[in-house]
């Protein structure tokens, strides 16, 4: 008799070990290991950058809702940088910060995480400071659901106290996504999450100059108290730790000078005049300009862009959800904070809160769209929040054969009023599973688009756009189709020929937790963002070693079985190594994931005894990638 051993090796290798009768007396081997062959140390084929051992541990330590995104993010880094990031999760000094750290890794663009000026410890510091600052003001309380290390899933939100116009204090808890994207995320818009020396001159030709952790500060620590601690001699450096403690409400729902609470205090701090008529932060930019809050603080000046960056950094340091808000076709920017119900526009430089500033009217009337940006570069259009005269533009993208393209990056552009020939960026969105990107835009305007994919662009020329829409009425939907002059990658070109010889085992494949993420490169900042997507169909093949080599080389190959990522029962021989291949070859921007359960049981009496323990293999496959699980009978 023989026994089969199902063994999980590095990143999911599957080995089937058989043993002889051994012993002198024959019969079934006992439960000891003397009669069993050691399973071979097999590494599966995986061209999507397999997780390191530390990466696997970090994913396991992260909350369930973040594991897939964290695994995808770690796979996109070098093993060395992936281990640096993973260690932040596994070695978190405060278990409460594990979810904030994991989120920041999972949802910061890989292009940002891989640069040498980025120090991974910034992400741990960012999370630690959130909890440190939560203790000071009374208007906000962090609320944890689940316990890290005990519960499989856990997350944090924030509850804020507001004063309603009717006279009652109310508490509102923001959605999980609002908390993580617009309070936790260490990247606000176009700046990098770097340590910055506020007091060091940066070249006038540069917008940011990185420092080491010993020489600079992250804005969340600098604006809370470090600015005062490091203030130049005879300087005046206001910090939030002096302005926020004891405040009982975030905002009283009123505009301008009638505002109260943390929102007003941030405005007051930014407009602070240590000497009457002499602002701490002046309006106006010249010489060196910066997109880093610390350096803007050190310079003490800036136009609307610098004021917006400073407002967002101050608000997030104060644990208030906030983002820079941008209109189209008007050289201006302001801010928006989330009050638990909706986004509220504000502009501290003009003491404007909740659309009480008449200057906003020009941008409202002259713009074609309005948007904020997530930390990973995804642009979120908010046009209906500012205008009622909105229509919907749908851009459909397919290849030269008419195959719809999901995950394409589509940007929309609008002409600048009174500026001949110049067009302004108006937002962007990825195409969905049906190849459609949707934009809410101001009606009766003119629009152009640019479409970018890894296999081609429309127009093909760089830095160019093409006509899309003009004069569409309020409430209408305008659909435009565009065809790339190239074809999507073909699926693997294999042929299922079946197995030769008698089947010795039944292999049962069970798939669960299927899902996907669109991972396009955004056009505004040139960084990758992720968007939840439905799981596309991927291929599954069972091949021998020779045909695996042909598959890897892109040559035609033969397989004993083909299928998809769906439950299947396959009868197989056990006369050599087989490879179960999962392929995402046909996707250009969609990463797929799932959990594969493999069980092998005998079809021949007496082939082996003992239970066939399922192999549980969570997997993530990047666009165009594939993985393989080896099945090897021991000799």
């Amino acid at each position: 008799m023989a026994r089969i051993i199902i063994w999980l090796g590095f990143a999911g290798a599957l080995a089937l070990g058989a043993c002889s009768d051994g012993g002198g007396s024959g019969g079934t081997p006992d439960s000891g290991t003397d009669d069993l062959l050691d399973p071979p140390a097999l590494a599966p084929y995986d061209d999507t950058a397999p997780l390191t051992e530390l990466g696997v541990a970090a994913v396991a330590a992260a909350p369930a809702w973040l594991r897939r995104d964290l695994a995808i993010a770690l796979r996109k880094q070098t093993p060395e940088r992936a281990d640096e990031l993973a260690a932040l999760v596994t070695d978190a000094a405060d278990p409460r910060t594990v979810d904030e750290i994991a989120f920041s890794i999972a949802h910061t663009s890989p292009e940002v995480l891989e640069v040498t000026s980025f120090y991974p410890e910034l992400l741990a510091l960012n999370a630690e400071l959130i909890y440190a600052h939560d203790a000071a003001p009374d208007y906000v309380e962090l609320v944890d659901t689940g316990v890290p290390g005990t519960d499989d899933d856990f997350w944090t939100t924030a509850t804020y106290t507001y004063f309603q116009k009717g006279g009652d204090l109310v508490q509102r808890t923001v959605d999980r996504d609002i908390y993580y994207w617009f309070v936790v995320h260490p990247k606000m818009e176009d700046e990098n999450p770097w340590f910055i020396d506020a007091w060091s001159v940066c070249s006038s030709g540069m917008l940011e100059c990185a420092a080491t952790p010993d020489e600079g500060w992250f804005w969340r620590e600098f604006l809370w108290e470090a600015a005062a601690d490091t203030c130049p001699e005879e300087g005046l450096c206001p910090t939030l730790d002096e302005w926020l403690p004891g405040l009982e409400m975030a905002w009283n729902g009123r505009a301008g000078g009638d505002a109260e609470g943390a929102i007003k205090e941030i405005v007051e701090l930014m407009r602070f005049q240590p000497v009457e008529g002499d602002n701490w932060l002046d309006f106006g930019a010249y010489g060196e300009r910066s997109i880093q809050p610390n350096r803007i603080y050190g310079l003490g000046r800036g136009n609307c862009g610098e004021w917006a960056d400073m407002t967002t950094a101050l608000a997030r340091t104060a644990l208030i959800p906030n983002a820079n808000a941008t209109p189209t076709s008007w050289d201006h920017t302001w801010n928006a904070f989330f009050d638990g119900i909706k986004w509220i526009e504000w502009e501290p430089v003009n003491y404007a809160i909740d659309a009480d500033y008449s200057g906003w009217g020009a941008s409202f009337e002259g713009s074609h769209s309005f948007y904020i940006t997530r930390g990973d570069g995804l642009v979120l259009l908010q046009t209906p929040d500012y205008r009622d005269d909105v229509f919907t533009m749908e851009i459909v993208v397919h290849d030269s054969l008419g195959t719809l393209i999901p995950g394409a990056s589509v940007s929309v552009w609008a002409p600048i009023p009174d500026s001949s020939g110049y067009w302004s960026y108006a937002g962007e969105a990825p195409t969905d599973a049906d190849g459609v990107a949707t934009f809410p835009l101001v009606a009766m305007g003119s629009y152009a688009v640019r479409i970018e994919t890894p296999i081609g662009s429309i127009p093909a020329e760089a830095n160019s756009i093409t006509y899309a829409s003009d004069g569409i009425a309020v409430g209408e939907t305008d659909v435009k189709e565009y065809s790339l002059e190239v074809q999507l990658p073909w699926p693997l070109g294999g042929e299922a020929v079946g197995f030769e010889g008698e089947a010795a085992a039944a292999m049962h494949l069970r798939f669960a937790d299927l899902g996907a993420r669109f991972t396009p490169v955004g056009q505004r900042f040139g960084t990758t963002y992720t968007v939840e997507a439905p799981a596309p169909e991927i291929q599954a093949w069972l091949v021998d070693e020779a045909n695996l080599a042909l598959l890897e080389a892109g040559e035609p190959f033969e397989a004993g079985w083909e299928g998809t990522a769906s439950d299947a029962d396959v009868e197989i021989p056990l006369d050599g190594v087989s490879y179960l291949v999962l392929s995402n070859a046909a996707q250009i921007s969609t990463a797929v994931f799932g959990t594969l359960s493999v069980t092998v049981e005998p079809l021949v009496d007496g082939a082996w005894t003992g239970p066939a323990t399922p192999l549980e293999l969570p997997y993530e496959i990047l666009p165009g990638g594939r993985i393989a699980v080896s099945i090897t009978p021991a000799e």
Side-chain angles (χ1 to χ4, degrees):
M1 291 186 179
R3 175 177 295 175
I4 186 170
I5 304 167
I6 298 182
W7 171 74
L8 177 59
F10 175 69
L14 178 68
L16 308 185
C19 68
S20 64
D21 287 345
S25 58
T28 303
D30 59 25
S31 58
T33 59
D34 292 342
D35 297 313
L36 303 181
L37 296 177
D38 291 332
L42 301 176
Y45 174 84
D46 185 345
D47 67 356
T48 67
L51 291 175
T52 65
E53 184 176 350
L54 193 55
V56 172
V59 171
W65 67 281
L66 280 173
R67 286 175 191 153
R68 294 303 190 188
D69 291 302
L70 179 59
I72 290 171
L74 293 176
R75 286 182 182 275
K76 292 183 177 180
Q77 298 297 318
T78 64
E80 294 77 17
R81 179 46 59 98
D83 275 351
E84 288 182 290
L85 295 168
L88 300 176
V89 178
T90 59
D91 300 340
D94 184 345
R96 295 179 302 170
T97 65
V98 166
D99 49 322
E100 283 85 2
I101 295 171
F103 178 87
S104 297
I105 298 170
H107 291 295
T108 299
S109 303
E111 297 88 350
V112 174
L113 295 176
E114 67 189 13
V115 298
T116 55
S117 297
F118 167 72
Y119 290 86
E121 58 260 43
L122 182 145
L123 302 185
L125 174 64
N126 176 57
E128 292 163 2
L129 291 172
I130 290 170
Y131 285 90
H133 298 165
D134 176 52
D138 295 330
Y139 60 80
V140 58
E141 179 182 4
L142 299 184
V143 181
D144 292 318
T145 299
V147 179
T150 300
D151 296 312
D152 187 55
D153 215 359
F154 50 94
W155 60 87
T156 306
T157 53
T159 298
Y160 299 87
T161 299
Y162 295 93
F163 185 87
Q164 292 192 130
K165 293 180 180 180
D168 298 323
L169 288 174
V170 297
Q171 290 189 325
R172 301 173 190 156
T173 301
V174 298
D175 291 340
R176 186 173 72 184
D177 281 357
I178 292 291
Y179 168 73
Y180 285 98
W181 279 113
F182 299 105
V183 174
V184 173
H185 205 290
K187 191 174 188 300
M188 301 179 300
E189 193 177 36
D190 54 348
E191 89 297 345
N192 280 293
W194 290 348
F195 291 99
I196 300 293
D197 182 356
W199 316 115
S200 178
V201 175
C202 189
S203 168
S204 60
M206 302 180 66
L207 295 175
E208 52 186 346
C209 292
T212 67
D214 294 332
E215 298 170 336
W217 305 268
F218 180 48
W219 50 259
R220 202 183 292 272
E221 64 176 332
F222 184 79
L223 297 176
W224 184 260
E225 60 184 356
D229 295 340
T230 62
C231 193
E233 188 174 349
E234 298 182 357
L236 184 66
C237 302
T239 49
L240 285 172
D241 67 329
E242 298 176 349
W243 290 69
L244 297 183
L247 288 178
E248 295 184 353
M249 65 179 163
W251 183 46
N252 66 343
R254 297 185 180 276
D258 295 327
E260 297 291 344
I263 293 299
K264 179 184 179 180
E265 293 304 311
I266 292 172
V267 174
E268 293 284 0
L269 186 153
M270 295 185 68
R271 292 171 55 87
F272 179 50
Q273 291 186 342
V275 178
E276 187 174 353
D278 185 10
N279 293 324
W280 159 72
L281 182 64
D282 289 326
F283 187 85
Y286 56 88
E288 180 189 342
R289 302 195 62 177
S290 182
I291 56 176
Q292 284 286 350
N294 292 7
R295 186 57 186 147
I296 296 170
Y297 187 110
L299 289 167
R301 63 176 184 265
N303 287 345
C304 61
E306 286 91 343
W307 276 70
D309 290 339
M310 183 65 79
T311 300
T312 292
L314 285 166
R316 292 192 188 182
T317 301
L319 306 186
I320 294 174
N322 196 82
N324 292 9
T326 305
T328 307
S329 307
W330 202 59
D331 184 17
H332 191 42
T333 185
W334 55 82
N335 295 87
F337 68 87
F338 193 75
D339 73 344
I341 299 176
K342 62 180 181 178
W343 288 97
I344 306 294
E345 61 270 18
W346 63 320
E347 191 173 41
V349 69
N350 292 303
Y351 219 123
I353 303 173
D354 200 12
D356 69 328
Y357 168 50
S358 60
W360 265 328
S363 62
F364 291 176
E365 293 301 323
S367 295
H368 296 76
S369 69
F370 304 82
Y371 56 87
I372 62 175
T373 308
R374 289 191 332 194
D376 64 350
L378 175 65
V379 172
L380 304 175
L381 282 172
Q382 295 187 323
T383 310
D385 292 345
Y386 292 88
R387 296 282 292 265
D388 294 326
D389 54 338
V390 174
F391 82 103
T392 301
M393 184 168 70
E394 294 184 352
I395 302 298
V396 183
V397 184
H398 52 75
D399 72 359
S400 60
L401 296 180
T403 304
L404 295 170
I405 300 178
S409 172
V410 182
S411 62
V412 61
W413 299 73
I416 299 176
D418 303 322
S419 180
S420 176
Y422 288 94
W423 289 63
S424 174
Y425 175 91
E428 64 184 272
T431 53
D432 61 17
D434 297 319
V436 181
T438 303
F439 301 91
L441 301 168
V442 174
M444 305 307 295
S446 298
Y447 297 94
V449 299
R450 177 167 180 80
I451 301 165
E452 294 186 356
T453 76
I455 60 173
S457 303
I458 300 175
E461 300 79 15
N463 302 315
S464 58
I465 54 179
T466 187
Y467 166 79
S469 180
D470 186 35
I472 306 301
V474 175
E476 297 294 320
T477 298
D478 186 33
V479 180
K480 291 290 190 297
E481 292 195 23
Y482 295 88
S483 178
L484 288 171
E485 297 180 358
V486 293
Q487 298 176 11
L488 283 171
W490 289 92
L492 292 184
E495 179 183 2
V497 297
F499 295 105
E500 295 182 359
E502 181 181 2
M507 181 176 67
H508 305 294
L509 307 179
R510 300 293 180 263
F511 289 86
D513 188 30
L514 298 177
R517 296 288 187 270
F518 293 137
T519 60
V521 176
Q523 296 182 41
R524 189 176 183 214
F525 300 129
T527 56
T528 301
Y529 59 82
T530 59
V531 178
E532 186 173 356
E537 186 173 273
I538 65 174
Q539 296 174 287
W541 302 92
L542 197 62
V543 297
D544 59 21
E545 194 161 7
N547 281 286
L548 178 66
L550 293 173
L551 184 157
E552 293 178 5
E555 300 292 336
F557 63 91
E558 294 182 346
W561 170 82
E562 70 168 328
T564 60
S566 57
D567 295 352
D569 300 298
V570 186
E571 294 186 357
I572 61 174
L574 287 178
D575 54 0
V577 180
S578 296
Y579 294 88
L580 175 63
V581 179
L582 302 181
S583 171
N584 194 30
Q587 298 297 323
I588 59 173
S589 296
T590 308
V592 299
F593 57 77
T595 299
L596 168 63
S597 173
V598 184
T599 306
V600 180
E601 63 178 356
L603 293 178
V604 180
D605 290 340
W608 64 78
T609 61
T613 305
L615 161 69
E616 297 290 337
L617 174 63
Y619 62 85
E620 301 85 25
I621 313 178
L622 301 185
R626 55 187 180 269
I627 63 173
V629 178
S630 60
I631 304 172
T632 307
E635 298 181 1

